[in-house]
């Protein structure tokens, strides 16, 4: 029997223990037993996400297809909600259909729990998606967290209240608020315990914090700097300030008291923009619970001016960020570069930011929504929001330039991991750039969307790429080199989506841009895209002529993406014409070029093409080895389309070897990927027909019942299983 740990899913691990909430967990389990849509509501900082995570872990044994967590914090466009759900489900978006339909089809026969975390800024979109998915998938359960309900008839709502606060000393032993305070305090002050002397102060502190977990954690983090009695003395002052200001977020109205300065070598930044002089605004502020506003404002006061300023500036990041990004976006004469790592460490120590492991052993950080909103509030009051968003855009524009330049090289897997980690920030940069398509930054959105071609086309996000490229091209119509590359990137995305005619329609404008600006690389892109579109519609003569022209122009030049694509088109035409030796010669040249540059993505496609060539030669074992190598690399890059076509050729090789069971297993595994893509098979018509022939042969050899059983076993096999390419023994 499959263990819970082996089930699919992406539930985030809990980084700290959960205190209390037994009653809420029991209530939540009952609600999930009678309704397929349950929403946890409550004020910011009350612990909705933490409760949902623990509840989802407890419910996991009930769902054979796992628990899937969709983090919506960094998503600003409701139009991309379905794409975010698909991304969380590891569902590639290579489909011409609406992404919500693709997700619905994927979920239709599955039994899983989908957790939509932080829905309050996208309630309409979340409600529409939840209603559509629940209607399409009878085995689906949705658990949402939001500061307000989604508003659907089928929705059950559990309002998460603050932790129970003791009324007097006699209630302290059973108080969840006290238990959380003591446990978190022990993390800040090893060996912390409530002594007889401190009992009254701990009781009063728990009452002042009103049982809000985030407020308690922020307060506990400060116990390394001041004793409990000092905290109790300072908090009532904060309540008075709030009454005087109508409940606005507390400013850094006064410097920290003597002896309460946080630990930081970088805290003595001179001439910093101290927010203490900023007048409190009359504008509406986030509707936080009073105790939370109090504790955040008080925690803000205890920060040094440099820490406050960094807190505000970090609010421009969507999701997580690394130290390099924090320095690039936030550093200036007030926040020197060499001081930012230390300041980040202090913000982590004081529970204002969280540390996260990043790709390849790197470090990343993020702030909870409530704390980021507080920082964003002060960033606006400081008059820095526009400037910091421009800096955020500039940083990610340069990041993507480097990623584009380094994609066809030895750091390809690293660039993939780093780009995936920055996905939410890239969306935020694109969204901001689209508001200013031809401003001071030039053609920022066009350049950013075009340079992300590799992420859209090669890493499984063509539908999102189609969305952003269409937006950028519509918003900025001025002829420029950036437009030429963005048009080519859109064409490559359309090819991936199986729209060769639409891709070919971009060629004329790309060529016009190349002529106007004398750009040879853009001319190569036009010819290569035209050749790809031609081969996909069966115009092999045109495809051969265009691809050969590009290859002839670059016989002695370094590897570039258009040249690689031209080589693939040329070899493909050779194979379909039966000129196998000539195809292999082109492919060996491409493979050697990739090996010289330690490049893997194009190399894997060359391996796939070699598998096709070896099959045509009748060399089955060689074909299988090339296919296996292609599939392994595409799996590392999460290239679902590449995995699907590699599995198809492996199925053809197994059929050629007369191994009907392996053929059925591999075709099932391939179908899993095609269904994940949510798209029909795309590619050369002859090879699509070859797959159908393999299926017919295996079905005849095994019989319908056995074929179906083996096919379904392959379909259910996980791609990351120990040996997914081999069917289990009978």
């Amino acid at each position: 029997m499959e263990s819970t740990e082996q089930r699919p899913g992406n539930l985030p691990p809990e980084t700290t223990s959960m205190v209390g909430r037994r009653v809420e967990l029991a209530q939540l389990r009952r609600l999930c037993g009678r309704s397929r849509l349950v929403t946890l509501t409550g004020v910011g900082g009350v612990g909705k996400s933490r409760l949902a995570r623990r509840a989802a872990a407890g419910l996991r044994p009930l769902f054979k297809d796992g628990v899937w967590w969709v983090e919506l914090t960094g998503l600003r466009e409701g139009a991309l909600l379905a794409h975010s759900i698909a991304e969380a489900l590891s569902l590639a978006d290579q489909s011409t259909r609406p992404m919500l339909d693709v997700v619905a089809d994927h979920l239709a026969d599955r039994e899983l729990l989908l957790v939509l975390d932080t829905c309050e800024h996208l309630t309409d979109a979340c409600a529409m998606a939840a209603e559509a998915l629940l209607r399409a998938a009878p085995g689906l359960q949705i658990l949402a967290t939001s500061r307000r309900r989604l508003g659907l008839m089928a929705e059950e709502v559990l309002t998460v209240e603050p932790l129970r606060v003791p009324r007097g000393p006699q209630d302290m032993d059973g108080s969840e608020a006290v238990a959380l305070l003591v446990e978190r305090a022990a993390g800040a002050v090893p060996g912390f315990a409530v002594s007889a002397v401190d009992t009254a102060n701990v009781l009063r502190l728990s009452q002042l914090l009103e049982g809000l977990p985030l407020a308690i954690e922020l307060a506990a983090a400060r116990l390394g700097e001041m004793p409990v009695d000092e905290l109790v003395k300072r908090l009532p002052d904060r309540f008075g300030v709030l009454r005087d200001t109508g409940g606005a977020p507390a400013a850094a109205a006064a410097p920290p008291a003597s002896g309460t300065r946080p630990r930081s070598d970088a805290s003595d930044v001179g001439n910093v923009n101290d927010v203490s002089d900023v007048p409190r605004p009359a504008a509406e502020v986030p509707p936080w619970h009073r105790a939370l506003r109090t504790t955040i404002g008080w925690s803000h006061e205890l920060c040094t001016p440099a820490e406050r300023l960094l807190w505000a500036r970090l609010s421009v990041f969507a999701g997580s960020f690394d130290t390099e990004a924090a320095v690039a976006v936030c550093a200036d004469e007030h926040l020197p570069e060499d001081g930012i790592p230390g300041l980040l460490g202090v913000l982590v120590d004081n529970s204002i930011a969280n540390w996260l492991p990043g790709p390849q052993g790197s470090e990343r950080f993020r702030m909870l929504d409530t704390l980021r909103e507080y920082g964003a509030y002060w960033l606006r009051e400081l008059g820095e929001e526009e400037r910091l968003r421009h800096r955020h855009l500039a940083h990610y524009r340069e990041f993507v330039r480097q990623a584009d330049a380094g994609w066809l090289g030895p750091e390809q897997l690293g660039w993939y991991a780093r780009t995936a980690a920055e996905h939410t920030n890239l969306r935020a940069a694109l969204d901001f750039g689209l508001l200013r398509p031809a401003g001071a930054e030039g053609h920022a959105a066009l350049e950013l969307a075009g340079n992300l071609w590799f992420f859209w086309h090669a890493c499984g996000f063509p539908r999102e790429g189609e969305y952003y490229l269409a937006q950028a091209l519509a918003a900025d119509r001025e002829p420029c080199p950036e437009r030429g590359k963005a048009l080519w990137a859109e064409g490559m995305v359309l090819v991936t989506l199986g729209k060769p005619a639409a891709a070919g329609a971009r060629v004329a404008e790309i060529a016009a841009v190349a002529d106007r600006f004398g750009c040879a690389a853009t001319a190569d892109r036009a010819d290569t895209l035209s050749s790809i579109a031609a081969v996909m519609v069966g115009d092999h003569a045109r495809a051969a002529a265009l691809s050969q022209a590009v290859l002839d122009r670059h016989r002695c030049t370094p590897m570039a993406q258009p040249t690689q694509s031209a080589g693939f088109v040329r070899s493909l035409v050779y194979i379909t014409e039966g000129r196998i030796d000539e195809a292999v010669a082109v492919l060996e040249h491409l493979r050697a070029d990739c090996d010289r540059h330690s490049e893997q993505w194009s190399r894997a496609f060359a391996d796939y093409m070699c598998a096709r060539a070896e099959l045509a030669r009748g060399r089955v074992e060689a074909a299988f080895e090339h296919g296996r190598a292609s599939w392994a690399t595409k799996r590392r890059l999460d290239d679902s389309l590449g995995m699907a076509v590699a599995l198809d050729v492996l199925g053809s090789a197994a059929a050629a070897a007369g191994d009907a069971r392996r053929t059925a297993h591999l075709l099932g595994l391939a179908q899993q990927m095609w269904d994940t893509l949510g798209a029909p098979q795309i590619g050369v018509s002859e090879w699509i027909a070859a797959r159908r022939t393999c299926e017919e042969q295996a079905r005849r050899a095994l019989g319908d019942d056995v074929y179906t059983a083996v096919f379904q076993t392959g379909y259910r096999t996980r791609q990351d299983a120990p040996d997914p390419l081999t069917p289990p023994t009978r």
Side-chain angles (χ1 to χ4, degrees), residues 417-465:
R418 292 182 62 193
T419 306
E422 298 290 1
H423 196 167
T424 53
N425 280 306
L426 293 171
R427 282 175 175 161
L430 281 163
D431 290 338
F432 183 74
L434 286 169
L435 298 175
R436 296 153 182 80
E441 292 91 358
H443 307 281
L446 270 181
E447 181 187 348
L448 188 55
N451 282 343
L452 277 168
W453 69 269
F454 66 93
F455 194 59
W456 313 135
H457 171 61
C459 300
F461 297 98
R463 285 297 301 277
E464 186 173 333

Side-chain angles (χ1 to χ4, degrees), residues 103-349:
V103 174
D105 284 353
H106 176 73
L107 297 176
D109 59 353
R110 286 175 166 80
E111 297 177 12
L112 61 79
L113 174 63
L114 191 67
V115 185
L116 303 179
D117 185 46
T118 316
C119 299
E120 55 264 14
H121 59 303
L122 299 167
T123 50
D124 290 344
C126 288
M128 184 191 73
E131 189 171 35
L133 295 178
L134 289 170
R135 184 169 56 247
L140 173 66
Q141 177 108 27
I142 295 178
L143 176 61
T145 72
S146 177
R147 293 181 195 173
R148 54 194 180 116
R149 61 180 300 159
L150 301 185
L152 296 177
M153 291 291 292
E155 181 182 24
E156 290 277 4
V157 177
L158 176 62
T159 301
V160 183
E161 301 290 350
L163 297 171
R164 188 167 63 85
V165 176
R167 294 181 180 181
Q170 71 279 4
D171 301 325
M172 287 183 62
D173 286 345
S175 169
E176 294 176 342
V178 171
L180 179 62
L181 177 62
V182 171
E183 181 169 311
R184 297 298 187 260
V189 183
F192 178 88
V194 181
S195 66
V197 176
D198 286 334
T199 298
N201 286 322
V202 169
L203 172 62
R204 181 59 180 149
L205 182 58
S206 299
Q207 293 170 337
L208 288 171
L209 298 174
E210 299 181 354
L212 276 168
L214 179 56
I216 292 170
E217 297 206 11
L218 288 172
R222 294 292 181 177
L223 287 173
E225 302 158 20
M226 64 183 74
V228 178
D229 59 344
E230 180 67 19
L231 290 180
V232 172
K233 289 176 184 178
R234 294 182 65 84
L235 272 175
D237 294 338
R238 297 293 315 137
F239 281 105
V241 170
L242 281 170
R243 282 195 294 271
D244 293 341
T245 61
S258 176
T260 66
R261 193 181 187 87
R263 306 174 300 280
S264 173
D265 294 334
S267 62
D268 295 319
V269 178
N271 198 27
V272 72
N273 290 335
D274 190 342
V275 295
S276 61
D277 297 328
V278 178
R280 294 185 178 90
E284 183 180 355
V285 298
W288 299 325
H289 195 288
R290 183 181 76 161
L292 185 58
R293 294 199 306 265
T294 297
T295 311
I296 295 177
W298 162 79
S299 188
H300 195 249
E301 285 183 7
L302 294 180
C303 290
T304 65
E307 291 160 12
R308 298 173 200 156
L309 186 59
L310 182 59
W311 181 349
R313 290 179 176 179
L314 290 175
S315 69
V316 299
F317 289 102
S320 65
F321 54 89
D322 60 16
T323 303
E324 180 183 350
V327 169
V329 175
C330 301
D332 61 7
E333 66 274 17
H334 302 303
L335 289 177
E337 292 184 11
D338 59 0
I340 286 181
L343 291 171
L344 279 171
V346 173
L347 293 181
V348 170
D349 288 343

